């Protein structure tokens, strides 16, 4: 039975006979010249992949066949490729890109996957397999592809006791107790999954970091993992605890300006590189949610980051410094990061990248973009997206995140006039960032299918594809994923694509439409608790965010309120700041609005709110109905799993809707319009 373990790397025989014929005609054998571990990985992936897809053994050969050779490599690894005239194409795709095309070598027709580096050839190999997996014709193949950002990184929130913060898919993959002796085959599959997307870095432990991660005991185990990931082009990074010098018992301070602290980090970092010579660097959550940081010693983020950057620089390492900070003393959590980081622009070392969540608060179903994007011309800035469904129903709800990612990437920041989209900014095309990147918080665990809900795989896939090329569409990516993960049958693809493409909006509608945010029950972040008013911190209550009252609902972030809207450049500050022009989907993020306010639909705000909560549930019911029709088109195991999860999702969507509508009704004092079903 299918259990989802293979993710999108399923190489089942091509079901369309015409395509199968075409592929069999064009692919007779494989020539991968060169002996590096990376090329060996490419050879192995291609051989098993092509053999599976073609339903026959595709042999690996050293010489060209008369016709039908797939030739893979770099000019350095492969005399055949070195002998080709590829014009400027190779140069154009850079160190990690690849080209795939038909060519003639020694008067023989061949298909070439060429790159400047071995890892580029590996990426090209996965791409070639993807073409077959999605039944793409190989006629007129002319692909030149290169990643748009440097650092394409997945983040794990894995604790050393193997519990995964916001994980929902079993225990952490890293079997600390058995490493380094036992190397689970899953480590290699994990690397394949990521490499197939062009992911080139992984941070394997939680940003709420246990200092022991830098101990020799753990470094020895981590080095074993790094050795497995290396051939796949994946660099190892670690989250560090800022107070490590103290936690190790070596010093009584972690003040970044103290020379003893600097020396401590230099020595520890040297140690890390003695285990992992190509170690990538540190990810740091500092002065955030109780984590230690430079502010504890009267220093700022730049002092803190630069000290680590200096320790890493001799080895070529980088610091990913997170901007997820919010001080409970500040009247509006929205403002926090901007207020703290704006004054520091230009103060960070070249090998520091600020890692900023897409929105100003925290991975909510819909957020406006963080105003830090576009506000830091002199600070390398990268994106942090969340793939694990902390705020989207854990492993229970179907919520493809592609549309959220692209909504964010395609947003125009106007940082340098029109066209300064976040995607371009991340690429270093708005400001001259020397280092660029995208990070995604993934959740894989020991569940057979890695992610819990099978469709969480699709968000991991989308993240990786967008990190490679942010201009891809969420829909095109979803279709690829469906074809690779299930099958190429239009009767299956079309309805599932429709389900996926509305799933995120459905999740917004039944949780927090119109720019409401963070109505989650505290702690677990699964169900609703809009009534939540008291906690140790005001900014950990729902009431803090929705500000529902007799006169209306929403958080006034205009000049009459916290004025956070002024953190956006014009024309956005005006657009968002004016109730007549703010997009309705973001309205209650920026305005406290009367229950009687007239919406574009002609309804009052109250009626519109009710309407959207109800449509969220309707959307889930529709998704459910559509899915249930698909029985027989895929394996029964996955069909039934998703079907059952949709039952849970419908149940929970109703709970969300009713909780929120009934609670907000206590403030609005207005009736639920007659045409809606009664709350349960
Ligand atoms: O989304 C919130 C989560 C925390 C998380 C934090 C962060 C890792 O609720 O669990 O901690 O953000 O991003 O640091």
């Amino acid at each position: 039975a299918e259990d989802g373990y293979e993710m999108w790397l399923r190489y089942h025989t091509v079901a369309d006979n015409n395509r199968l014929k075409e592929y069999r005609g064009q692919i007779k054998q494989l020539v991968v010249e060169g002996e590096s571990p990376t090329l060996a990985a490419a050879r192995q992936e291609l051989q098993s992949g092509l053999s599976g897809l073609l339903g026959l053994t595709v042999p690996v050969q050293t010489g060209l066949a008369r016709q039908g050779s797939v030739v893979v490599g770099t000019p350095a690894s492969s005399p055949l490729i070195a002998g080709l005239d590829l014009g400027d194409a190779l140069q154009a795709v850079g160190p990690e890109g690849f080209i795939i095309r038909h060519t003639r070598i020694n008067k023989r027709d061949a298909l070439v996957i060429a790159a400047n580096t071995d890892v580029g050839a590996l990426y090209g190999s996965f791409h070639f397999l993807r073409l077959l997996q999605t039944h793409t014709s190989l006629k007129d193949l002319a692909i030149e592809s290169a990643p748009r950002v440097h650092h394409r990184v997945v983040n794990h929130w894995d604790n050393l006791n193997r519990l995964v913060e916001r994980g929902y898919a079993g225990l952490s993959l890293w079997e600390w107790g058995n490493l380094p002796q036992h190397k689970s085959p899953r480590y290699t599959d994990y690397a394949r999954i990521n490499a197939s997307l062009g992911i080139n870095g992984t941070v394997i432990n939680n940003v709420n970091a246990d200092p022991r991660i830098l101990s020799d005991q753990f470094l020895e185990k981590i080095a074993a993992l790094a050795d497995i990931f290396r051939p796949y082009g994946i660099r190892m990074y670690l989250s560090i605890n800022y107070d490590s010098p103290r936690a190790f018992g070596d010093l009584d301070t972690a003040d970044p300006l103290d020379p003893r602290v600097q020396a401590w980090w230099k020595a520890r970092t040297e140690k890390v590189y003695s285990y992992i010579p190509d170690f990538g660097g540190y990810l740091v959550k500092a002065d955030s949610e109780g984590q230690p940081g430079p502010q504890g010693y009267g220093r700022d983020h730049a002092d803190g980051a630069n000290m680590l950057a200096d320790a890493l620089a001799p080895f070529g390492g980088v610091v990913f410094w997170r901007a997820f900070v919010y001080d409970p003393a500040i009247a509006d959590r929205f403002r926090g990061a901007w207020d703290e980081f704006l004054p520091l622009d230009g103060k960070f070392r070249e090998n520091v990248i600020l890692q900023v969540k897409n929105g100003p608060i925290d991975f909510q179903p819909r957020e406006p973009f963080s105003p830090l994007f576009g506000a830091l011309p002199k600070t390398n800035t990268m994106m942090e997206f969340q793939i694990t469904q902390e705020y989207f129903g854990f492993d229970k709800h179907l919520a493809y995140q592609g549309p959220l990612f692209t909504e964010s990437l395609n947003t125009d920041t106007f940082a340098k006039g029109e066209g300064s989209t976040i995607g371009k900014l991340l690429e270093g095309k708005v400001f001259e960032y020397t280092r660029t990147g995208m990070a995604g918080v993934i959740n894989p665990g020991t569940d057979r299918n890695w992610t819990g809900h099978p469709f969480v795989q699709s968000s991991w896939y989308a993240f990786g594809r967008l990190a490679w090329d942010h201009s891809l569409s969420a829909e095109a990516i979803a279709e690829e994923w469906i074809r690779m993960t299930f099958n190429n049958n239009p009767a299956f693809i079309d309805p599932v694509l429709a389900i996926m493409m509305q799933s995120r909006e459905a999740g917004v509608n039944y949780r927090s439409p119109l720019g409401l945010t963070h109505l989650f029950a505290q702690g677990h972040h699964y169900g609703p608790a809009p009534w939540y008013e008291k906690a140790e911190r005001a900014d950990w209550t729902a009431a803090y965010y929705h500000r529902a009252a007799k006169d209306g609902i929403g958080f006034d972030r205009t000049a009459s309120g916290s004025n956070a809207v002024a953190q956006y450049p014009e024309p956005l500050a005006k657009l968002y700041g004016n109730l007549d022009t703010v997009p309705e989907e973001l309205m209650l993020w920026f305005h406290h609005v009367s229950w009687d306010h007239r919406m574009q639909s002609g309804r009052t705000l109250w009626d519109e709110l009710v309407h959207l909560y109800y449509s969220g549930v309707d959307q889930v019911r529709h998704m459910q109905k559509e899915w249930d029709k698909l029985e027989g088109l895929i394996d029964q195991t996955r069909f039934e799993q998703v079907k059952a999860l949709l039952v849970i999702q419908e149940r929970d969507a109703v709970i969300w809707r009713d909780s929120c509508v009934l609670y907000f009704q206590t403030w609005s004092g207005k009736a639920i319009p007659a045409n809606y079903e009664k709350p349960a």
Side-chain angles (χ1 to χ4, degrees):
E2 292 267 9
D3 57 18
Y5 180 81
E6 294 163 306
M7 305 273 273
W8 48 85
L9 300 181
R10 277 162 87 255
Y11 300 127
H12 291 205
T13 306
V14 171
D16 175 330
N17 276 326
N18 291 329
R19 278 283 179 260
L20 184 61
K21 241 209 222 132
E22 181 195 337
Y23 296 157
R24 282 183 175 169
Q26 299 216 22
I27 301 167
K28 303 278 190 199
Q29 63 162 49
L30 204 53
V31 184
V32 187
E33 294 177 304
E35 283 318 312
S36 75
T38 299
L39 289 170
R43 186 184 299 117
Q44 203 187 323
E45 194 73 31
L46 282 168
Q47 202 199 358
S48 70
L50 293 175
S51 298
L53 287 158
L54 269 53
L56 44 81
T57 303
V58 177
V60 176
Q61 304 289 8
T62 47
L64 289 181
R66 200 153 0 106
Q67 176 264 340
S69 296
V70 177
V71 180
V72 186
T74 71
S77 80
S78 166
L80 287 173
I81 288 181
L84 286 177
D85 179 15
L86 297 169
D88 292 336
L90 263 187
Q91 211 185 325
V93 296
E96 294 177 294
F98 55 82
I99 61 184
I100 306 178
R101 61 162 78 157
H102 293 281
T103 187
R104 300 222 0 124
I105 310 180
N106 306 336
K107 302 201 182 111
R108 292 158 184 222
D109 286 324
L111 261 164
V112 161
I113 304 174
N116 292 303
T117 62
D118 293 354
V119 79
L122 178 69
Y123 293 153
S125 302
F126 276 114
H127 192 83
F128 185 63
L129 288 165
R130 171 158 48 233
L131 297 176
L132 271 64
Q133 289 176 283
T134 53
H135 291 194
T136 309
S137 171
L138 301 182
K139 275 187 214 98
D140 311 319
L141 256 197
I143 292 174
E144 296 176 13
S145 183
R148 289 180 186 255
V149 300
H150 303 131
H151 297 282
R152 304 174 301 278
V153 186
V154 287
N155 291 183
H156 295 253
W157 288 352
D158 292 18
N159 297 324
L160 302 189
N161 64 4
R162 299 191 68 198
L163 293 180
V164 181
E165 184 159 341
R166 317 297 181 189
Y168 330 114
L171 292 178
S172 168
L173 296 170
W174 325 126
E175 298 175 8
W176 296 120
N178 297 346
L179 280 164
Q181 290 84 358
H182 178 243
K183 300 176 180 73
S184 161
R186 275 192 98 137
Y187 304 148
T188 306
D189 289 331
Y190 166 85
R192 291 173 52 235
I193 288 162
N194 281 315
S196 74
L197 304 171
I199 301 282
N200 64 3
T202 180
V203 189
I204 61 165
N205 65 314
N206 193 351
V207 288
N208 294 322
D210 187 324
R212 289 175 302 166
I213 194 77
L214 291 181
S215 65
D216 288 77
Q217 191 193 6
F218 271 96
L219 288 173
E220 192 192 354
K221 299 166 191 287
I222 295 162
L225 292 175
D227 290 344
I228 297 168
F229 301 164
R230 186 170 298 111
Y232 291 90
I234 295 164
R235 279 198 179 201
M236 176 66 74
Y237 297 78
L238 296 173
S239 297
I240 57 102
N241 181 298
Y242 206 80
D243 269 349
S244 296
R246 294 173 60 181
F248 273 67
D250 295 334
L251 298 175
D252 58 3
T253 176
D255 178 353
L257 299 194
D258 186 318
R260 293 169 304 155
V261 173
Q262 296 164 1
W264 189 93
W265 280 105
K266 281 211 156 73
R268 238 323 93 182
T269 302
E270 239 168 57
K271 195 62 172 210
V272 174
Y273 279 91
S274 74
Y275 284 99
I276 309 162
D278 56 350
F279 179 69
Y282 299 137
L283 170 63
V284 193
K285 172 177 180 178
D287 295 312
S288 162
E289 298 188 328
Q291 291 301 313
Q295 291 175 349
Y297 305 92
R299 315 300 180 188
D300 63 31
H301 291 288
D303 297 327
N306 291 343
M307 185 268 292
L308 296 170
D310 291 343
L312 288 157
F315 306 99
V318 302
V319 176
F320 301 135
W321 191 267
R322 292 177 92 226
F324 179 64
V325 298
Y326 54 106
D327 180 349
I330 297 177
D332 181 1
R333 171 170 172 180
F334 187 117
R335 299 191 59 104
W338 198 90
D339 288 348
E340 280 189 43
F341 283 97
L342 246 279
L344 301 178
D345 188 32
K347 298 208 168 140
F348 290 94
R349 296 279 191 271
E350 187 277 326
N351 60 332
V352 175
I353 315 181
L354 198 64
Q355 184 168 313
V356 184
K357 291 186 184 184
N358 58 287
I361 302 281
D362 186 18
F363 297 139
Q364 293 301 298
R366 169 165 283 117
E367 300 207 17
F369 72 96
S370 162
L372 281 176
F373 294 110
L376 302 169
K378 290 180 270 177
T379 305
N380 297 327
T381 304
M382 66 191 274
M383 174 63 77
E384 179 178 312
F385 283 127
Q386 191 177 47
I387 290 137
T388 190
Q389 293 184 175
E390 173 177 3
Y391 295 107
F392 270 98
F394 294 11
D395 59 339
K396 295 164 182 34
H397 295 198
L398 194 164
Y400 169 55
Q401 299 292 299
L404 186 157
F405 302 157
T406 53
E407 176 177 301
S408 169
L409 294 167
N410 296 333
T411 302
D412 198 339
T413 66
F414 291 92
K416 261 188 158 181
E418 213 178 323
S420 311
T421 63
I422 291 186
K424 282 198 191 147
L425 184 107
L426 297 177
E427 257 189 273
K429 287 201 170 149
V430 175
F431 305 127
E432 284 173 23
Y433 293 157
T434 57
R435 300 181 189 243
T436 58
M438 244 193 253
V441 180
I442 55 172
N443 75 329
T446 47
D447 278 13
R448 282 292 300 166
N449 73 3
W450 304 83
T451 55
H453 197 300
F455 277 72
V456 174
Q457 295 181 3
S458 68
S459 301
W460 186 347
Y461 184 85
F463 165 75
R465 297 287 286 138
L466 289 166
W468 184 272
D469 182 357
H470 64 76
S471 75
L472 296 173
S473 81
E475 187 162 11
I477 292 171
E479 183 174 334
E480 277 178 14
W481 178 80
I482 297 168
R483 289 172 178 271
M484 296 167 78
T485 306
F486 292 100
N487 61 44
N488 283 268
N489 178 356
F492 182 78
I493 297 169
D494 298 345
V496 175
L497 192 55
I499 288 172
M500 288 173 74
M501 290 308 290
Q502 68 182 308
S503 59
R504 181 272 182 135
E505 204 61 37
V508 171
N509 287 337
Y510 62 73
R511 287 190 185 85
S512 45
L514 295 176
L516 284 172
T517 200
H518 219 317
L519 306 179
F520 294 84
Q522 237 344 285
H524 57 70
H525 293 171
Y526 184 74
W531 47 80
Y532 200 54
E533 287 171 2
K534 281 210 176 67
E536 48 182 308
R537 286 171 61 157
D539 53 357
W540 288 349
T541 67
Y544 174 91
Y545 296 101
H546 61 64
R547 309 272 156 134
K550 292 252 180 287
D551 69 339
I553 182 169
F555 197 134
D556 181 3
R557 293 191 162 101
T558 67
S560 54
S562 77
N563 207 23
V565 74
Q567 295 181 338
Y568 292 103
E570 295 300 353
L572 292 178
K574 267 216 192 69
L575 183 91
Y576 294 158
N578 183 338
L579 185 54
D580 295 328
T581 55
V582 66
E584 286 189 348
E585 58 185 25
L586 295 175
M587 195 172 81
L588 303 180
W589 267 99
F590 294 106
H591 299 272
H592 187 77
V593 185
S594 152
W595 296 110
D596 294 319
H597 176 79
R598 238 350 111 190
M599 304 294 288
Q600 273 158 28
S601 63
R603 299 184 189 97
T604 64
L605 170 59
W606 166 252
D607 286 355
E608 182 79 359
L609 198 63
V610 173
H611 171 73
L612 288 173
Y613 272 112
Y614 274 79
S615 35
V617 170
D618 289 346
Q619 284 171 299
V620 174
R621 289 179 179 157
H622 180 72
M623 284 158 55
Q624 220 184 338
K625 231 176 52 214
E626 289 299 296
W627 181 266
D628 289 355
K629 289 187 208 155
L630 303 176
E631 182 156 20
L633 295 183
I634 59 164
D635 55 282
Q636 199 63 10
T637 317
R638 288 186 298 174
F639 170 76
E640 276 171 11
Q641 185 185 6
V642 173
K643 180 176 164 149
L645 293 173
L646 281 164
V647 171
I648 297 175
Q649 183 166 1
E650 194 270 347
R651 176 199 71 190
D652 295 343
V654 170
I655 292 174
W656 265 97
R657 178 196 72 190
D658 291 355
S659 302
C660 295
V661 167
L662 292 175
Y663 171 75
F664 290 134
Q665 192 179 34
T666 66
W667 293 108
S668 79
K670 294 178 186 299
I672 297 169
N675 47 331
Y676 294 102
E677 76 185 57
K678 288 240 167 351

